[in-house]
Amino acid sequence: MPSRTYISAEERIIPGFKDGKDKLTVLLGCNASGCCKLKPLIVYHSENPRTLKGISKATLPVYYRSNPKTWVTVDIFEDWFVNCFIPEVEKYCRENGIPFKILLILDNAPGHPAHLDDFHPNVKVLFLPPSTTSLVQPMEQGLTENFKAYYLRTTFAQAVAAIDRNPNLSVREFWQSYSLYHGILNIAKAWQELSPNCCVAVWKRMCPQFMRGFKGFEKDETYEGVADKIVKLAEELDLEVDKNDVEELIESHGEELTDEDLLELEAAKDAADVQAVALEEPEEKPKCFIAEEMSIAFREIASGMARLEKMDPNASRFLKVQRGVDESLACYREIYEEKKRAITLNSRISIQNVWTKSEDFELTVSEK
C-alpha cells in the first residue's frame, strides 16, 4: 500500500515494525505493434512457495522461475530465451503468416548474456548502451508505468469487492490474505489490460519512421485516468491516497533490493520453513474438479444471474452478459459433463459386478 495510507501509519507505530520486503521480479516484452505481448516471466525467491501448493506451475498465466535473490540470472534468462521466448514468438509468426525474423532489444544488464545470437539464426539481439534504459528502452517509455498502475488498480478494486462481500473485513485483513498467487493473477490481468495502442504510442514517439502507415487504434486509457480511478477506489476504502502516493508506489516497484533487504528475505524464508515443519501441516492435495462441487458452483452462478435479471430493465444488456458468462463457463461445463459421464460409467460397472456375483451365488445354490 502507499506509505501515507493509515494502514502504513498504524503499522509504523507497532513495536518492531518492519516494512514488507517480499518482492518478485517481472520480465515483460512485446512487439512494436503491441499485438504480441509475451507471457510474463516471474522470478521469486522460493522454488515451491506454500501459496502455490496444489497448483501446477505449468498452468500459471506466467513463466515461474526461482532465485534466492529474486534476480534474473544468466541461467534463468537463457532458459527463458530458448524455452519461452523463441517458441512463443515463432508460433506468433507462424499463425500470422509473418517471416520468423526477430530483432530483440535488450537492456545491457548483468543477467543478459552477450552470446544470445548463437542460440537461433533467425533471432538477432541488440543490446542498448549502458545507463540508457530510462532514455531509449521502449518498455521504459510508459509501458511498465502503465502496467504497474493497472496492477495497483486491480488490487484496490479487489479490496473494495472483498469488503463489499464482507463488511466486517478490514483493509488490513484483506492485505494480510493477499498472497503471491493473487499477485501472479493480477500481474497477468494487468498485462492483458495494456492495449496495443499504448505500445504503438511509444514506438511512434521513438521511431516514427516505422509507424508511417499506422492509422491508430481506439483511444487508450491514459496513465492519469488510471491514477484517478485508483484514488477513487482508495476513497471507497477510507484511505488517504492521492496521485502523489500512487506515483510514489509505482516508482518504488522499480527499486533494487539492498543487501539488508535480501538478508531479511532469506531470514523470513527460513523462519517460514521452520514454522511449517514445527506445525507438521498435512500435505495439501493437488487441486482437482469434483462433480458435486461444480454442480453447486453452477447453481450459485445461475442464482446470481437470476438476481441480476430481475433488477435489469435492459433485456438486451442482460442477454449480452448472459452470453458472455455462458461462453466463459463453457470450458468448465465440458469438464463437468466428462465427470458426470465417468460417474455414470463407474456406476454401471459396479451394478454389473453386483449382478455377476449374484448369478454366481444362485448357480452354486442350484448345484448343491
Side-chain angles (χ1 to χ4, degrees):
M1 289 290 185
S3 62
R4 283 165 51 188
T5 66
Y6 78 85
I7 295 178
S8 297
E10 181 183 345
E11 288 177 340
R12 290 180 189 280
I13 63 174
I14 298 174
F17 167 79
K18 289 185 178 180
D19 282 316
K21 302 294 183 185
D22 195 18
K23 295 189 178 182
L24 50 79
T25 296
V26 185
L27 184 152
L28 301 172
C30 67
N31 63 352
S33 66
C35 53
C36 179
K37 289 187 293 186
L38 302 175
K39 187 176 177 178
L41 169 71
I42 299 296
V43 182
Y44 191 60
H45 64 79
S46 174
E47 183 177 357
N48 296 301
R50 295 175 65 189
T51 184
L52 295 183
K53 276 190 175 181
I55 299 172
S56 170
K57 295 188 185 73
T59 65
L60 292 173
V62 299
Y63 298 116
Y64 185 91
R65 300 293 185 270
S66 63
N67 174 268
K69 296 184 177 180
T70 70
W71 290 344
V72 178
T73 63
V74 170
D75 290 342
I76 289 176
F77 195 87
E78 285 185 358
D79 171 65
W80 170 83
F81 183 78
V82 174
N83 298 313
C84 304
F85 173 75
I86 290 179
E88 189 173 346
V89 175
E90 188 172 16
K91 178 184 177 183
Y92 167 80
C93 291
R94 183 172 60 252
E95 291 177 348
N96 290 273
I98 301 172
F100 180 51
K101 295 181 178 180
I102 305 300
L103 175 65
L104 176 62
I105 301 175
L106 291 177
D107 303 334
N108 198 329
H112 298 164
H115 56 275
L116 290 175
D117 275 344
D118 299 335
F119 284 105
H120 199 288
N122 292 352
V123 180
K124 300 300 178 184
V125 179
L126 171 66
F127 288 96
L128 298 173
S131 305
T132 60
T133 297
S134 61
L135 300 175
V136 297
Q137 164 59 278
M139 293 296 296
E140 290 296 327
Q141 308 307 309
L143 294 182
T144 53
E145 185 181 52
N146 275 25
F147 159 74
K148 293 172 186 177
Y150 284 137
Y151 174 86
L152 184 58
R153 181 181 66 179
T154 299
T155 307
F156 270 54
Q158 288 174 348
V160 171
I163 292 173
D164 281 345
R165 291 192 300 269
N166 179 11
N168 295 323
L169 183 73
S170 69
V171 180
R172 174 193 291 279
E173 289 169 334
F174 165 80
W175 196 244
Q176 288 174 340
S177 69
Y178 191 86
S179 68
L180 170 69
Y181 178 65
H182 300 122
I184 287 175
L185 296 183
N186 286 347
I187 284 169
K189 183 176 181 180
W191 184 232
Q192 286 301 316
E193 281 192 78
L194 203 69
S195 73
N197 189 46
C198 186
C199 304
V200 169
V202 168
W203 282 92
K204 196 172 183 180
R205 214 166 36 237
M206 296 184 63
C207 304
Q209 65 271 30
F210 296 149
M211 300 295 170
R212 286 175 183 168
F214 175 70
K215 301 190 183 290
F217 298 102
E218 61 184 49
K219 188 175 180 181
D220 190 29
E221 284 185 292
T222 63
Y223 170 82
E224 289 75 16
V226 177
D228 284 336
K229 290 181 180 178
I230 293 172
V231 172
K232 289 179 180 177
L233 287 168
E235 289 175 356
E236 293 187 48
L237 298 172
D238 293 328
L239 300 179
E240 296 177 3
V241 177
D242 58 26
K243 280 189 177 181
N244 292 331
D245 296 314
V246 174
E247 292 174 4
E248 174 195 325
L249 183 61
I250 289 174
E251 290 173 4
S252 72
H253 283 167
E255 295 173 0
E256 295 290 341
L257 293 177
T258 64
D259 291 339
E260 181 185 354
D261 294 337
L262 293 170
L263 288 172
E264 287 184 16
L265 265 178
E266 194 62 29
K269 177 177 176 291
D270 292 341
D273 291 341
V274 170
Q275 184 180 13
V277 172
L279 293 174
E280 295 184 351
E281 294 181 353
E283 188 69 23
E284 293 186 24
K285 295 181 180 179
K287 287 186 175 182
C288 64
F289 288 105
I290 301 172
E292 185 178 354
E293 291 294 320
M294 295 187 77
S295 177
I296 294 173
F298 289 136
R299 285 201 301 270
E300 290 177 348
I301 293 171
S303 175
M305 292 303 298
R307 287 175 180 270
L308 291 174
E309 184 179 15
K310 287 180 180 179
M311 294 183 289
D312 195 345
N314 188 328
S316 296
R317 175 174 54 198
F318 174 79
L319 288 174
K320 181 180 179 181
V321 173
Q322 181 74 69
R323 187 164 53 249
V325 171
D326 290 341
E327 290 175 358
S328 299
L329 292 175
C331 58
Y332 289 135
R333 291 198 179 277
E334 287 179 11
I335 296 172
Y336 177 61
E337 293 301 326
E338 289 177 4
K339 293 284 183 184
K340 286 202 303 182
R341 283 195 293 270
I343 292 173
T344 303
L345 180 60
N346 289 336
S347 299
R348 289 175 179 172
I349 292 173
S350 299
I351 293 171
Q352 185 177 6
N353 288 338
V354 170
W355 276 105
T356 302
K357 291 177 182 178
S358 176
E359 289 168 359
D360 290 345
F361 177 75
E362 292 172 359
L363 178 62
T364 304
V365 171
S366 64
E367 284 176 348
K368 286 183 178 180

